[in-house]
Amino acid sequence: MLQQLKESARHGLAAGEMHAPARPDWTIDQGWSNYTSEEHAVWRTLFERQSKLLPGRACDEFIRGMQDLPIGPEQIPDFEQMSKVLRKRTGWEVVAVPGLVPDDVFFEHLANRRFPAGHFIRKPHELDYLEEPDVFHDVFGHVPMLVNPVIADYIQAYGEGGLRAKRLGVLEKLARVYWYTVEFGLVQQPDGLRIYGAGIASSASETRFAVEDDSPNRIRFELERVMQTRYRIDDFQETYFVLGHLDELLELAHIDFAPLYERLAGSPEYEAGTVLATDTVVTRGTGRYHAAKRPEAARGMA
Ligand code: HBI
Ligand code: FE
């Protein structure tokens, strides 16, 4: 999705720096009847593009979640209709927010099984680029996985963990786990590597890049390793972390992070593209994509 979330927006943005909300939990009415035909048409374009790409690239749970939800190409989904299905399946609901919300507000929603979804949709000229999560990223990318009980529990636990991590001043480390699982996670299926991360599943270009390109590293997911690894918010990931099975997230949902944070204090931090001798490498990337974009390379080409 080239989800260009500004660093300031993702981390510790004070509420006052965003538009002040009418409700303290930042929810708004989705205002479904206000969507224009142009906005529904953007949804259709994105929906049809991704629906063609995802079979054989997204994991079975994602495809199944999509089939079980009242979601299709015709129109931007109605959050209340989706919540009706979700509540029965996993006790989750989807609530509308204006865009990025402060960390503590975000975590409070997740801890209570409410997924805050941006109510707006990107403009026709920014189909592959957006600064804040919109309804296509949040609903198409995240909601199908919330039908799955493992992901449902895991994301709630992230909300609870986030509130604690913020108090301990170690949110950055936990946010990396979210980033490399919920947003950009891959999982090994018997028939091949598959996407379960919403940041990939809602982006046409990154769907191909994450699964097929020879540039990125694909490394077996290991919790402490991921907590030590920075990530890119402005471009495709240099490294994807791969689960052996989605059930591995179940253990993560019940982990006590506090001792981990203590052990990791002062330990090294790794750049997004680093490969360690201790890694279990699924595919070693050529790094070509990101190397070509570095300033030296750009000067060399001039
Ligand atoms: N707000 N709406 C929204 N969506 C997010 O994914 C989000 C957010 N606020 C904070 C946030 N993500 C992250 O910074 C935390 O996961 C750390
Ligand atoms: Fe997201």
Side-chain angles (χ1 to χ4, degrees):
M1 119 197 73
L2 302 203
Q3 187 186 21
Q4 298 233 351
L5 298 180
K6 284 166 251 135
E7 197 80 59
S8 63
R10 282 223 139 240
H11 295 291
L13 189 63
E17 295 171 53
M18 304 191 209
H19 301 289
R23 298 181 200 147
D25 70 355
W26 286 67
T27 59
I28 54 173
D29 292 326
Q30 185 189 5
W32 190 86
S33 55
N34 297 331
Y35 291 124
T36 64
S37 51
E38 287 78 16
E39 288 173 321
H40 287 303
V42 170
W43 171 274
R44 176 189 282 279
T45 302
L46 294 166
F47 187 98
E48 287 177 344
R49 192 167 69 170
Q50 281 315 91
S51 310
K52 272 191 215 117
L53 278 174
L54 289 180
R57 293 190 178 91
C59 67
D60 295 340
E61 290 81 357
F62 186 98
I63 304 282
R64 217 173 300 136
M66 191 62 83
Q67 288 163 352
D68 291 352
L69 288 165
I71 173 174
E74 303 80 27
Q75 43 187 239
I76 299 170
D78 180 328
F79 293 0
E80 192 40 52
Q81 284 179 18
M82 274 191 308
S83 297
K84 273 199 189 114
V85 175
L86 267 186
R87 271 187 217 110
K88 275 191 222 139
R89 299 292 295 266
T90 54
W92 273 80
E93 49 192 7
V94 181
V95 296
V97 291
L100 280 172
V101 299
D103 291 337
D104 50 341
V105 173
F106 184 62
F107 298 143
E108 189 67 37
H109 281 302
L110 300 184
N112 290 286
R113 293 202 176 226
R114 292 186 300 266
F115 195 82
H119 82 303
F120 71 96
I121 191 152
R122 65 200 74 178
K123 299 279 178 284
H125 64 269
E126 52 187 15
L127 287 190
D128 300 305
Y129 174 99
L130 73 161
E131 294 209 338
E132 290 193 73
D134 72 342
V135 63
F136 188 75
H137 168 75
D138 280 333
V139 171
F140 186 98
H142 284 288
V143 177
M145 291 308 290
L146 287 173
V147 176
N148 179 266
V150 173
I151 298 280
D153 284 358
Y154 175 66
I155 297 185
Q156 178 189 357
Y158 175 75
E160 292 162 352
L163 292 169
R164 260 178 283 133
K166 181 126 184 160
R167 283 196 294 273
L168 293 169
V170 288
L171 182 54
E172 199 183 22
K173 290 197 165 50
L174 190 69
R176 290 170 180 162
V177 183
Y178 187 83
W179 189 265
Y180 281 120
T181 57
V182 175
E183 294 292 355
F184 292 97
L186 296 178
V187 59
Q188 189 70 59
Q189 265 182 205
D191 50 353
L193 269 189
R194 294 288 184 272
I195 298 158
Y196 73 93
I200 311 174
S202 59
S203 159
S205 47
E206 192 146 4
T207 289
R208 291 201 186 84
F209 184 81
V211 177
E212 280 137 18
D213 207 278
D214 59 9
S215 185
N217 304 307
R218 299 177 185 85
I219 296 176
R220 193 71 178 73
F221 180 90
E222 204 264 307
L223 180 60
E224 292 188 27
R225 160 71 157 103
V226 167
M227 290 179 123
Q228 290 172 277
T229 308
R230 299 200 182 94
Y231 55 80
R232 305 193 62 114
I233 57 167
D234 60 340
D235 207 337
F236 297 148
Q237 301 305 304
E238 288 182 64
T239 298
Y240 298 91
F241 289 95
V242 182
L243 294 174
H245 196 282
L246 277 188
D247 285 354
E248 287 172 31
L249 295 178
L250 262 184
E251 296 162 40
L252 282 190
H254 299 115
I255 225 161
D256 179 9
F257 281 95
L260 254 182
Y261 294 142
E262 243 171 71
R263 198 159 74 234
L264 286 178
S267 66
E269 304 254 300
Y270 304 116
E271 293 308 323
T274 303
V275 178
L276 304 173
T278 45
D279 287 335
T280 302
V281 177
V282 180
T283 53
R284 171 82 201 221
T286 61
R288 183 165 36 83
Y289 174 85
H290 293 93
K293 288 194 152 191
R294 292 200 177 91
E296 319 84 77
R299 267 201 309 278
M301 288 190 299

